[in-house]
């Protein structure tokens, strides 16, 4: 599949595949939520209604690797697989990590250990909330969070002279098949990729999941490489998500 390569393997084994280094790494690594994955999500109950009793997802993990993810190994991979900072300004690489609110601070500190000395907080604002079951109990969350990490020089930044706020609207994706519980929408990923890369640049997703990062990269004429360790997600990504890519002629 032109411009897209998804490997059913752990990102630690990247040397086997000889992939090029990236201008941008985007990842949504496991949050290590364990059996609290569905928390206040309506999926905890049958048909989303607590009057119907608990569903089969109550007290379950999103997937069996969502408890033992090792952030330090992930950051080591990213430090190795981003291109070196070029001498000319405005060409440096960066990485974007989707994470839980508290995890932002852990990734900031961890990033410094691997040479990522600077960061920008990112907020992704939804017009809905997964915490509907707590609507009468507290102020519910409608945002996801992320961290943009870079080494020393400001990363490539395609803003056409315009200001870009660090709070992005979460654009719903009604076209791409939903094959993963934490799947990120292609339009949102396209916006991030468009800002921090140029056509022909390499984008890597070490925790590819549904493959939407790779699809977004290919849609924008970037080269996308990803790793997904779970066979079911890998198969679904290949057959249901990445199959939506149709090369465009320019």
């Amino acid at each position: 599949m032109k411009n897209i390569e998804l490997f059913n393997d752990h990102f630690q084994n990247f040397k086997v595949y000889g992939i090029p280094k990236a201008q941008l790494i985007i990842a949504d690594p496991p949050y290590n939520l364990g059996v609290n994955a569905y928390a206040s999500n309506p999926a905890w109950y049958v048909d989303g209604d607590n009057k119907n009793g608990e569903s089969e997802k109550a007290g379950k993990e999103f997937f069996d690797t969502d408890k033992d993810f090792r952030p330090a190994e992930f950051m080591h991979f990213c430090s190795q697989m981003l291109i070196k900072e070029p001498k000319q300004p405005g060409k440096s690489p960066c990485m974007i990590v989707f994470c839980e609110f508290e995890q932002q601070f852990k990734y900031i500190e961890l990033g410094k250990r691997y040479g990522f000395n600077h960061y920008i907080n990112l907020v992704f604002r939804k017009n809905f909330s997964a915490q509907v079951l707590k609507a009468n109990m507290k102020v519910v969350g409608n945002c996801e969070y992320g961290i943009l990490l870079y080494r020393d020089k400001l990363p490539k930044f395609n803003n056409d002279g315009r200001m870009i706020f660090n709070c992005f609207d979460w654009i719903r994706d009604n076209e791409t098949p939903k094959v993963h519980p934490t799947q990120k929408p292609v339009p949102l990923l396209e916006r991030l990729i468009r800002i921090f890369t140029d056509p022909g640049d390499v984008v890597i997703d070490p925790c590819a999941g549904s493959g939407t990062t790779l699809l977004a990269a290919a849609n924008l004429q970037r080269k996308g490489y990803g790793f997904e360790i779970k066979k079911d997600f890998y198969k679904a990504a290949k057959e249901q998500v990445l199959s939506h890519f149709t090369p465009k002629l320019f």
Side-chain angles (χ1 to χ4, degrees):
M1 203 174 293
K2 189 177 180 181
N3 286 358
I4 300 175
E5 289 285 351
L6 178 62
F7 307 106
N8 184 203
D9 203 348
H10 195 285
F11 58 77
Q12 282 186 311
N13 299 323
F14 71 95
K15 291 182 179 179
V16 175
Y17 302 99
I19 64 175
K21 294 192 176 184
Q23 181 71 36
L24 173 65
I25 291 178
I26 297 184
D28 182 23
Y31 291 3
N32 287 337
L33 296 176
V35 297
N36 293 317
Y38 290 92
S40 56
N41 191 297
W44 188 283
Y45 297 98
V46 175
D47 296 329
D49 190 336
N50 56 9
K51 295 179 182 178
N52 298 329
E54 294 183 338
S55 73
E56 60 181 13
K57 295 180 178 179
K60 299 290 180 61
E61 305 163 334
F62 278 145
F63 31 86
D64 59 15
T65 55
D66 191 24
K67 61 180 182 297
D68 53 11
F69 180 75
R70 299 176 181 177
E73 293 179 1
F74 164 74
M75 291 299 297
H76 177 67
F77 167 88
C78 295
S79 67
Q80 288 189 306
M81 287 307 295
L82 279 177
I83 63 169
K84 293 181 179 180
E85 290 189 335
K87 292 182 179 179
Q88 61 268 46
K91 300 291 184 181
S92 292
C94 64
M95 60 182 290
I96 296 172
V97 184
F98 289 92
C99 56
E100 197 180 24
F101 181 82
E102 291 85 358
Q103 288 178 323
Q104 295 177 89
F105 311 105
K106 296 178 182 178
Y107 276 112
I108 289 170
E109 291 304 314
L110 195 57
K112 291 177 181 177
R113 284 167 44 187
Y114 288 92
F116 297 98
N117 299 314
H118 304 279
Y119 69 90
I120 299 173
N121 296 96
L122 301 177
V123 179
F124 303 97
R125 180 178 55 199
K126 301 177 178 178
N127 63 357
F128 61 95
S129 175
Q131 297 181 335
V132 293
L133 298 179
K134 293 186 177 180
N136 296 323
M137 297 162 57
K138 67 174 186 177
V139 175
V140 297
N142 72 320
C143 294
E144 291 207 23
Y145 301 92
I147 289 290
L148 185 150
L149 296 164
Y150 61 99
R151 296 182 180 117
D152 293 305
K153 297 179 181 179
L154 281 171
K156 183 181 290 187
F157 193 70
N158 297 320
N159 64 339
D160 297 322
R162 295 172 298 175
M163 184 180 293
I164 295 179
F165 297 125
N166 72 327
C167 186
F168 294 81
D169 285 332
W170 185 274
I171 307 169
R172 285 182 181 265
D173 187 349
N174 297 319
E175 296 184 6
T176 312
K178 182 73 181 292
V179 302
H180 194 281
T182 61
Q183 183 166 321
K184 298 298 180 283
V186 170
L188 174 63
L189 294 167
E190 286 181 344
R191 186 178 181 202
L192 295 171
I193 290 169
R194 192 179 285 112
I195 292 171
F196 298 105
T197 67
D198 292 321
D201 283 344
V202 172
V203 178
I204 294 178
D205 188 341
C207 309
S210 64
T212 52
T213 298
L214 309 190
L215 177 59
N219 286 344
L220 298 175
Q221 300 298 299
R222 278 69 165 170
K223 298 173 184 177
Y225 299 90
F227 295 86
E228 175 49 49
I229 195 171
K230 301 298 293 181
K231 289 183 179 179
D232 290 345
F233 291 141
Y234 167 80
K235 183 179 180 181
K238 292 276 283 188
E239 296 178 358
Q240 300 181 52
V241 175
L242 299 183
S243 61
H244 278 232
F245 171 61
T246 53
K248 301 178 180 64
L249 296 177
F250 289 86

